[in-house]
Amino acid sequence: MSTLCNAAELLAVMASRQLRDDTTVFAGVGVPLLAAALAKQRHAPRLTLVIEGGIIGPEIAPGRLPISTNEMRAGRRAQMLPGITDAFLFAQRGFVDVGFMGGAQIDQYGNINTTAIGDYWKPKVRLPGTGGANDIASLCREVIIVTAHEKRRFVPRVEFVTSPAWLRGDGSRRAAGLLFGGVSRVVTTLGLLGFDPETKRMLIEAVHAGETVETIRANTGFELGLAPTLETTAPPAADELEMLRALDPERRFLG
Amino acid sequence: MSTLCNAAELLAVMASRQLRDDTTVFAGVGVPLLAAALAKQRHAPRLTLVIEGGIIGPEIAPGRLPISTNEMRAGRRAQMLPGITDAFLFAQRGFVDVGFMGGAQIDQYGNINTTAIGDYWKPKVRLPGTGGANDIASLCREVIIVTAHEKRRFVPRVEFVTSPAWLRGDGSRRAAGLLFGGVSRVVTTLGLLGFDPETKRMLIEAVHAGETVETIRANTGFELGLAPTLETTAPPAADELEMLRALDPERRFLG
Amino acid sequence: MKDGDYVAVGGCLFSRTPLALVRELLRQRRRGLTLARNLTCTEGEFLMVAGAVERIVTAWMSIGLPWGVSKVMRHYVESGRVALEEWSHLALGLRFRAGAMGVPFLPALTMLGSDLMTVGGMKTLQDPYTGETLAAVPALFPDVAVLHVHRADMFGNCQIDGYPHMDADIARAATTVLVTTEEIVTDDATRRHPDRTVIPGFLVDALVHVPFGAFPHECYGLYEADFDHFGEYTAAIDAAGPTAVADYLERYAYGPPTFADYLDLFGGERLARQTRRARELTASA
Amino acid sequence: MKDGDYVAVGGCLFSRTPLALVRELLRQRRRGLTLARNLTCTEGEFLMVAGAVERIVTAWMSIGLPWGVSKVMRHYVESGRVALEEWSHLALGLRFRAGAMGVPFLPALTMLGSDLMTVGGMKTLQDPYTGETLAAVPALFPDVAVLHVHRADMFGNCQIDGYPHMDADIARAATTVLVTTEEIVTDDATRRHPDRTVIPGFLVDALVHVPFGAFPHECYGLYEADFDHFGEYTAAIDAAGPTAVADYLERYAYGPPTFADYLDLFGGERLARQTRRARELTASA
């Protein structure tokens, strides 16, 4: 079944299934926003999108997906436009249930680097930077990462912690002053990953149809444990793909 | 000349003369607001009123004087309505040149009590409280008090410092963390009072026509020094009184 | 709402006070409440006389300048029956804002050096960058917020016209948010003016459509405060003391079974007059 | 504006960027500037290539997702010619807000535990009430703010439509405030909608009427960002590297003597198309 869709489509569908109705989700542009729009259309009509540009409750128009969090396509038919700082402060106050974002480089504790490869002040490769990713990772009640599963992305330890998840897995998140939140799940093109409740190390919770624990491990740069029960996800349904494709007919994010 | 007007009118005219054009003034309702409205009409057309209810730049309508800082008469034809907290924050940021307010009980260092007579938790007389007076006294670049001159109001030391001026006159204002501001002048029904630059004790700067240093001292509950040069204020001019009376035809605040 | 709750009341003094919600709270005969409001007006007197409040947290309490110091407030506070905890107006605003921002305090330059510092237990701290002393204004997280707004939609998104007072911060700071609204609008109407929304629906726990829900207090642009009514109210207190308020509550709070019955006591002519006055004041620009 | 100034730029990424003011700053050949902006777009590349900036303080810098990581930014930052000081998006917002509030810092729960803490020298502190660790986000007081707004009156009162970005805080935090506006309105017009004013006139030092003053970036409701133009711009950089930006500046910044001449390079048809697209997106509610 999964041959019927490409990797970006699979990722978007799997991600959309993570979102429940009657919740608030802080979604980054690209596949996360697309997945959130799909969830809202398909099974979570009262899902409230919060967008970094200071936008609450927009209705993303099919074919007019925003390419940034601060533009009219992202703000279309919004219910509120509180501004950037205040949008994040809703999260800091605890009102945002899910943070939904991508990640350039992720480590076994869920920490993400989108800042630099190499020394910060003399970087080998300078990436664009955190944007609101650090804030989403710090302040949402729960964080779900949505990313392509590639070995170079899944590293034992990120060189620079831009967005903190479980830090060193030893309670250091709470000790740093982060009162709630943390990454609960990583949705990838190969499967669903979670975290061991004790060690906060990443583990495999589910594989997508056609994938195996081995293919996942082969594409991961660190050791991955297994959840007590290993699931296989249901492949994208026809109606999921149809709705998804209608949202991005120009295939701006679906490739 | 001063027999041509009553005490409230004299006070309002003398107070209005304290305000300069192209400044911002945080004015309390009653005589301060009336005096500010007079100044704006007569000699300070670009005076910007800031009102505690979260109102900037209103045009007070003659005959429709507000009785509170939070009502449509106070907000009439405003240029901005930022809300209460943000109006005060403009002052905290240093954008308000003058705080202009009354005072129930004032001491020789300019401190004001509008909270209670007697012990705070078992008061003999409970007054309404600070409202924004403490904030105006703490945060405006300069504070001008406008008050009837009565012995019971001018006490050596207020029982409770609601609004801080020079506290104990020994640099304690700055030491408490108040970086700027303080009371520069007290406009009364008898004259103009200032503060000694060294001791921060109140002294007489000017007497109104018909009044003397002796009448002022007789109506003050503590010793009052004299400024190096003692002035006599010009009595209210006919046009000042005419404009003032037009602002309060119902004599709501002019008695 | 439960006995003993910490209740924050929106609006300011006699502006946009959620009087329909206060009336309901009186009718439920709540006890042991703490009331937090920046400037407290008749609603504070009602709750004192009804025996509903133990403590009022405010910057100022009376009806308004022309009516002098509240005799009811003096009676209850001077006798020690109700505690009046005073904060500066900005400090109380920052207490709500700290709550709204989800931080335990906000630094400020106000209240420092004054005796108000000792009343509510405000602490100071040193700025970690310069070492300067700052007030650490503690967050206030009320159990319940009661608010009255101009319009709201079925999702609870609220819009307010004119001066916003502290309602937006109070809604964010409180655990439970109860709102009455002058008008219920469609989802589309909200989306046509999203930059006017000040409280998002996900904060609102209950919403009721109550036109004139702040009367005889004012609602910006819709009706002016009824100063004549305040005059009659305070004249009765001048004549009979706080029992005049008990009589008033019988007549206005406990008596009329519905809010429509309550408004009938004022009469349509009075409502129309106050509406006309509001339009004159706000349409003149 | 002087060489060496700390300049905060309003808007966000390619939204309501004060490009007419940035163009002026380029034409004045300023040097040694520090640029602070929450999300930095083409204007940051212009200033890098022109040699105007020593440091950029931002949360993110590139043109936008479809065009990948900024090659110009990588060139200047990886070679050490421009320092890129990274703060989280909220932290930068709170830096402006602390400045706006006149306090030296604001407490926050963000950036804690991350390596961003070490970049800009953020300190932590203990909450004086609970002892919990908080980030102490330091205030930012820029020397100059450059902003573009929808409308302003002769007194400098500014109104913004749609998402407000951080402009209101930046205006309060900065020492000098320079504003361009799409429209100049009368004093009466401001007073008809006072609840739409976000920057009071007493903050504004200079105001210039510049329709399309953010083009080819967007202005909410008025014109959409010209993505085709970004595509051409990045394609030239892909082909020739940062010198393509130098050519671009010759053509768009140094060449055209007036802003009208600058807009002529895009042409009326392009402006009309982008205006139409904005109306479609914002009138659809």
Side-chain angles (χ1 to χ4, degrees):
Chain A
M1 285 283 283
S2 62
T3 53
L4 295 174
C5 65
N6 72 15
E9 289 172 335
L10 175 69
L11 191 59
V13 167
M14 292 300 164
S16 82
R17 293 181 187 170
Q18 302 296 314
L19 298 175
R20 294 174 305 283
D21 202 11
D22 273 311
T23 59
T24 47
V25 58
F26 213 124
V29 282
V31 173
L33 184 57
L34 191 53
L38 174 61
K40 188 169 170 67
Q41 202 168 99
R42 189 167 174 279
H43 66 269
R46 288 177 60 112
L47 181 70
T48 300
L49 302 184
V50 181
I51 297 185
E52 187 172 333
I55 296 159
I56 292 177
E59 290 179 350
I60 303 302
R64 297 198 91 162
L65 293 171
I67 59 169
S68 84
T69 56
N70 324 268
E71 61 175 89
M72 283 171 267
R73 293 170 185 220
R76 182 179 168 277
R77 281 178 56 83
Q79 293 172 308
M80 184 175 182
L81 298 171
I84 297 160
T85 306
D86 289 314
F88 283 118
L89 290 176
F90 280 117
Q92 183 167 280
R93 178 66 183 92
F95 289 123
V96 182
D97 299 305
V98 179
F100 209 47
M101 58 188 220
Q105 198 185 52
I106 185 167
D107 72 17
Q108 60 188 322
Y109 297 111
N111 307 305
I112 286 176
N113 176 17
T114 50
T115 294
I117 310 296
D119 177 70
Y120 179 86
W121 292 109
K122 288 187 194 297
K124 217 174 90 197
V125 179
R126 189 48 161 102
L127 302 170
T130 166
N134 171 280
D135 308 303
I136 293 172
S138 300
L139 302 171
C140 293
R141 295 228 165 243
E142 179 186 1
V143 175
I144 297 171
I145 307 294
V146 181
T147 182
H149 206 132
E150 298 167 314
K151 193 160 192 168
R152 61 177 184 97
R153 289 177 183 269
F154 285 75
V155 299
R157 196 184 174 91
V158 290
E159 289 184 75
F160 186 97
V161 177
T162 309
S163 302
W166 304 111
L167 294 174
R168 292 171 304 281
D170 52 359
S172 39
R173 180 184 173 90
R174 179 68 186 80
L178 296 171
L179 297 180
F180 49 80
V183 176
S184 59
R185 185 160 263 192
V186 182
V187 181
T188 82
T189 39
L190 301 182
L192 306 180
L193 309 170
F195 293 85
D196 181 278
E198 292 302 311
T199 66
K200 297 297 182 188
R201 280 177 202 262
M202 209 182 284
L203 41 72
I204 304 173
E205 291 187 336
V207 296
H208 298 325
E211 305 297 342
T212 63
V213 166
E214 288 65 40
T215 57
I216 291 180
R217 284 185 170 151
N219 285 283
T220 304
F222 51 87
E223 239 180 85
L224 271 178
L226 292 180
T229 51
L230 186 73
E231 314 263 348
T232 300
T233 61
D239 71 319
E240 288 177 306
L241 289 172
E242 193 181 327
M243 280 183 181
L244 178 68
R245 288 166 184 164
L247 280 166
D248 188 13
E250 297 168 353
R251 306 199 68 82
R252 204 182 278 272
F253 299 109
L254 291 178
Chain B
M1 288 285 282
S2 62
T3 52
L4 295 175
C5 67
N6 73 15
E9 289 172 335
L10 175 69
L11 190 60
V13 167
M14 292 300 165
S16 80
R17 293 182 187 169
Q18 303 295 315
L19 297 175
R20 295 175 304 282
D21 202 10
D22 272 310
T23 58
T24 47
V25 57
F26 213 124
V29 282
V31 173
L33 184 56
L34 192 52
L38 174 60
K40 187 167 171 64
Q41 202 168 97
R42 190 168 172 278
H43 67 269
R46 288 177 59 112
L47 181 71
T48 300
L49 302 183
V50 181
I51 297 185
E52 186 171 333
I55 296 159
I56 291 177
E59 292 179 348
I60 303 302
R64 297 198 92 161
L65 294 171
I67 59 170
S68 84
T69 56
N70 324 271
E71 61 175 87
M72 284 172 266
R73 294 170 185 221
R76 182 179 169 276
R77 280 179 56 82
Q79 294 171 309
M80 183 174 183
L81 297 171
I84 296 160
T85 305
D86 289 314
F88 283 117
L89 290 176
F90 279 118
Q92 182 167 281
R93 177 67 181 93
F95 289 124
V96 182
D97 298 304
V98 180
F100 210 47
M101 58 186 223
Q105 198 185 50
I106 185 167
D107 72 16
Q108 59 190 321
Y109 296 110
N111 306 305
I112 285 176
N113 175 16
T114 49
T115 294
I117 310 294
D119 176 71
Y120 180 87
W121 291 111
K122 287 186 192 306
K124 219 174 90 200
V125 180
R126 190 44 162 105
L127 301 170
T130 168
N134 171 281
D135 308 302
I136 293 172
S138 300
L139 301 172
C140 293
R141 295 231 165 238
E142 179 187 1
V143 175
I144 298 172
I145 307 295
V146 181
T147 181
H149 207 132
E150 297 167 319
K151 193 160 190 165
R152 63 178 182 92
R153 288 177 184 271
F154 285 76
V155 300
R157 198 186 171 91
V158 290
E159 290 184 75
F160 187 96
V161 177
T162 309
S163 302
W166 304 111
L167 294 175
R168 291 172 305 282
D170 51 0
S172 39
R173 180 184 174 88
R174 178 68 186 80
L178 297 171
L179 296 181
F180 49 79
V183 176
S184 58
R185 187 160 261 191
V186 182
V187 181
T188 81
T189 41
L190 301 180
L192 306 180
L193 309 170
F195 292 86
D196 181 278
E198 291 302 311
T199 66
K200 296 297 183 188
R201 278 175 203 263
M202 209 182 285
L203 41 72
I204 305 174
E205 291 187 335
V207 297
H208 297 327
E211 304 297 343
T212 64
V213 166
E214 286 66 38
T215 57
I216 291 181
R217 284 185 169 151
N219 285 284
T220 303
F222 50 85
E223 241 180 83
L224 271 179
L226 292 180
T229 51
L230 186 73
E231 314 263 349
T232 300
T233 61
D239 72 315
E240 287 177 307
L241 289 172
E242 194 181 324
M243 280 181 178
L244 179 67
R245 287 165 185 163
L247 281 166
D248 188 13
E250 298 169 349
R251 305 200 67 81
R252 206 182 276 270
F253 297 109
L254 292 178
Chain C
M1 197 169 315
K2 315 180 303 298
D3 288 354
D5 270 351
Y6 204 124
V7 182
V9 176
C12 181
L13 196 63
F14 50 69
S15 182
R16 221 160 25 69
T17 314
L19 285 179
L21 284 164
V22 170
R23 200 181 91 97
E24 188 53 32
L25 195 156
L26 288 162
R27 291 171 64 83
Q28 291 181 6
R29 309 277 179 174
R30 291 288 157 230
R31 287 290 175 275
L33 304 177
T34 294
L35 175 77
R37 194 171 196 225
N38 50 344
L39 305 183
T40 304
C41 189
T42 54
E43 77 291 347
E45 298 193 349
F46 300 164
L47 294 167
M48 281 178 165
V49 173
V53 283
E54 283 182 352
R55 176 175 291 253
I56 292 183
V57 178
T58 191
W60 195 89
M61 179 170 175
S62 278
I63 312 300
L65 271 198
W67 304 288
V69 182
S70 162
K71 290 187 177 61
V72 174
M73 179 276 283
R74 285 196 57 188
H75 177 79
Y76 282 84
V77 176
E78 292 169 14
S79 67
R81 291 163 69 187
V82 175
L84 196 63
E85 181 185 317
E86 185 172 333
W87 295 78
S88 83
H89 205 174
L90 173 58
L92 201 44
L94 292 175
R95 293 197 65 187
F96 290 128
R97 184 155 295 176
M101 293 170 71
V103 288
F105 76 92
L106 280 174
L109 293 164
T110 200
M111 272 178 61
L112 293 163
S114 79
D115 289 331
L116 290 173
M117 292 293 285
T118 64
V119 171
M122 173 118 90
K123 298 189 179 187
T124 60
L125 53 68
Q126 312 306 311
D127 169 29
Y129 298 96
T130 66
E132 287 282 353
T133 300
L134 292 159
V137 185
L140 203 167
F141 297 100
D143 296 312
V144 182
V146 291
L147 308 173
H148 183 66
V149 303
H150 286 79
R151 71 191 71 84
D153 64 26
M154 62 175 287
F155 298 109
N157 297 293
C158 298
Q159 302 188 338
I160 289 173
D161 293 341
Y163 23 67
H165 302 319
M166 299 180 180
D167 296 52
D169 286 330
I170 292 172
R172 288 155 176 76
T175 305
T176 298
V177 178
L178 313 179
V179 180
T180 54
T181 178
E182 290 286 334
E183 193 188 356
I184 297 274
V185 296
T186 62
D187 180 40
D188 272 356
T190 299
R191 295 181 190 277
R192 265 195 296 277
H193 301 288
D195 42 15
R196 297 308 313 276
T197 304
V198 292
I199 299 170
F202 58 75
L203 297 191
V204 176
D205 295 279
L207 173 72
V208 187
H209 181 207
V210 187
F212 290 98
F215 201 82
H217 290 200
E218 67 153 44
C219 192
Y220 182 92
L222 297 181
Y223 44 90
E224 198 180 20
D226 189 343
F227 299 139
D228 295 347
H229 185 81
F230 293 163
E232 294 154 20
Y233 170 83
T234 51
I237 297 170
D238 288 343
T243 68
V245 179
D247 295 345
Y248 181 95
L249 293 183
E250 238 13 277
R251 181 162 157 76
Y252 287 94
Y254 307 128
T258 71
F259 196 74
D261 296 322
Y262 163 87
L263 288 178
D264 281 346
L265 295 174
F266 296 94
E269 214 168 298
R270 186 69 75 101
L271 300 185
R273 184 189 74 184
Q274 296 309 105
T275 299
R276 199 173 56 245
R277 288 181 176 174
R279 301 240 162 101
E280 281 167 24
L281 279 165
T282 51
S284 60
Chain D
M1 197 169 313
K2 312 179 305 298
D3 288 354
D5 270 352
Y6 205 123
V7 182
V9 176
C12 182
L13 197 61
F14 50 69
S15 181
R16 220 157 30 65
T17 314
L19 284 180
L21 284 165
V22 169
R23 199 181 91 98
E24 189 51 32
L25 195 155
L26 288 162
R27 290 171 64 84
Q28 291 181 7
R29 308 279 180 174
R30 292 286 158 230
R31 287 291 176 275
L33 303 177
T34 295
L35 175 77
R37 195 170 193 223
N38 49 342
L39 304 183
T40 304
C41 188
T42 55
E43 77 294 344
E45 298 193 347
F46 300 164
L47 294 167
M48 280 179 166
V49 173
V53 284
E54 284 182 352
R55 177 175 290 254
I56 291 182
V57 178
T58 191
W60 195 88
M61 179 169 175
S62 278
I63 313 299
L65 272 198
W67 304 288
V69 182
S70 162
K71 290 187 177 60
V72 175
M73 179 276 282
R74 284 196 57 187
H75 177 80
Y76 283 84
V77 175
E78 291 171 12
S79 67
R81 291 163 70 186
V82 175
L84 196 64
E85 181 185 317
E86 184 172 334
W87 295 78
S88 83
H89 206 173
L90 173 57
L92 201 44
L94 291 175
R95 294 197 65 188
F96 290 129
R97 184 156 295 177
M101 292 171 74
V103 288
F105 76 92
L106 280 174
L109 293 165
T110 198
M111 271 178 60
L112 293 163
S114 79
D115 290 330
L116 290 174
M117 290 294 285
T118 65
V119 172
M122 175 119 90
K123 298 190 178 187
T124 60
L125 52 67
Q126 311 306 312
D127 168 30
Y129 297 97
T130 65
E132 287 283 353
T133 299
L134 293 159
V137 185
L140 203 168
F141 297 100
D143 296 312
V144 182
V146 291
L147 309 173
H148 184 67
V149 304
H150 287 78
R151 71 191 73 84
D153 64 26
M154 61 175 286
F155 298 109
N157 297 294
C158 299
Q159 301 188 340
I160 290 172
D161 293 342
Y163 23 68
H165 302 318
M166 299 180 179
D167 295 52
D169 285 331
I170 292 172
R172 287 156 176 75
T175 305
T176 298
V177 177
L178 312 179
V179 179
T180 52
T181 177
E182 290 286 334
E183 192 188 357
I184 297 275
V185 297
T186 62
D187 179 41
D188 272 357
T190 299
R191 295 181 190 278
R192 267 195 295 276
H193 301 287
D195 43 15
R196 296 307 313 273
T197 305
V198 292
I199 299 171
F202 59 75
L203 296 191
V204 177
D205 295 279
L207 174 71
V208 188
H209 181 208
V210 186
F212 290 98
F215 201 82
H217 291 199
E218 68 153 44
C219 191
Y220 182 92
L222 297 182
Y223 43 93
E224 197 180 21
D226 189 341
F227 299 138
D228 296 345
H229 185 80
F230 293 163
E232 294 155 23
Y233 170 84
T234 50
I237 296 169
D238 288 343
T243 69
V245 179
D247 295 343
Y248 182 94
L249 294 184
E250 246 1 284
R251 180 163 157 76
Y252 287 94
Y254 308 129
T258 70
F259 196 73
D261 296 322
Y262 163 86
L263 288 178
D264 281 346
L265 294 175
F266 296 95
E269 215 167 296
R270 186 70 75 99
L271 300 184
R273 184 188 74 185
Q274 295 311 104
T275 300
R276 199 175 56 243
R277 288 182 176 173
R279 299 240 161 99
E280 281 168 24
L281 279 164
T282 52
S284 59

